[in-house]
Amino acid sequence: MLIRVGYELVFQVPAPTPMLLVLYTHPSRAAFLREADAVHIEPAVPIEEFTDPFGNRCGRLVAPPGKLRLWGMTLVEDSGEPDEIRASRPAAAC
């Protein structure tokens, strides 16, 4: 099964504003991507990519004042099967 994943975010930024973005597909799913996974920014500003301590692919940028548009789209292949559910321990009796 192929799943199209995408977003568009638009902000009105009042002053130069640092932003941390967690908009990428998790690296554990990278082998299942059928298209590049990128964050597009308008107006164009540099984005520094990094991996956080939890393994998330992240981006860091300084948004300029004015309208800022972030968007992205990718295609993910998935089996369509439900995710594995880990059994939790029973709740304590009251």
Side-chain angles (χ1 to χ4, degrees):
M1 161 189 314
L2 296 176
I3 302 171
R4 173 75 57 195
V5 179
Y7 58 89
E8 178 182 34
L9 304 167
V10 179
F11 300 93
Q12 190 61 42
V13 182
T17 304
M19 297 179 84
L20 290 176
L21 311 175
V22 187
L23 298 172
Y24 302 94
T25 305
H26 194 273
S28 65
R29 301 292 295 174
F32 302 97
L33 293 178
R34 297 297 170 248
E35 296 176 355
D37 186 18
V39 175
H40 303 278
I41 306 166
E42 189 178 280
V45 295
I47 184 167
E48 177 188 346
E49 290 187 24
F50 66 97
T51 302
D52 74 9
F54 301 100
N56 297 304
R57 189 172 156 213
C58 306
R60 179 180 11 236
L61 62 88
V62 177
K67 182 179 174 183
L68 178 73
R69 179 177 171 238
L70 307 170
W71 77 98
M73 188 174 296
T74 190
L75 190 63
V76 181
E77 185 173 336
D78 188 80
S79 69
E81 296 294 319
D83 289 344
E84 179 183 322
I85 298 174
R86 295 183 185 167
S88 60
R89 56 184 199 170
C94 294

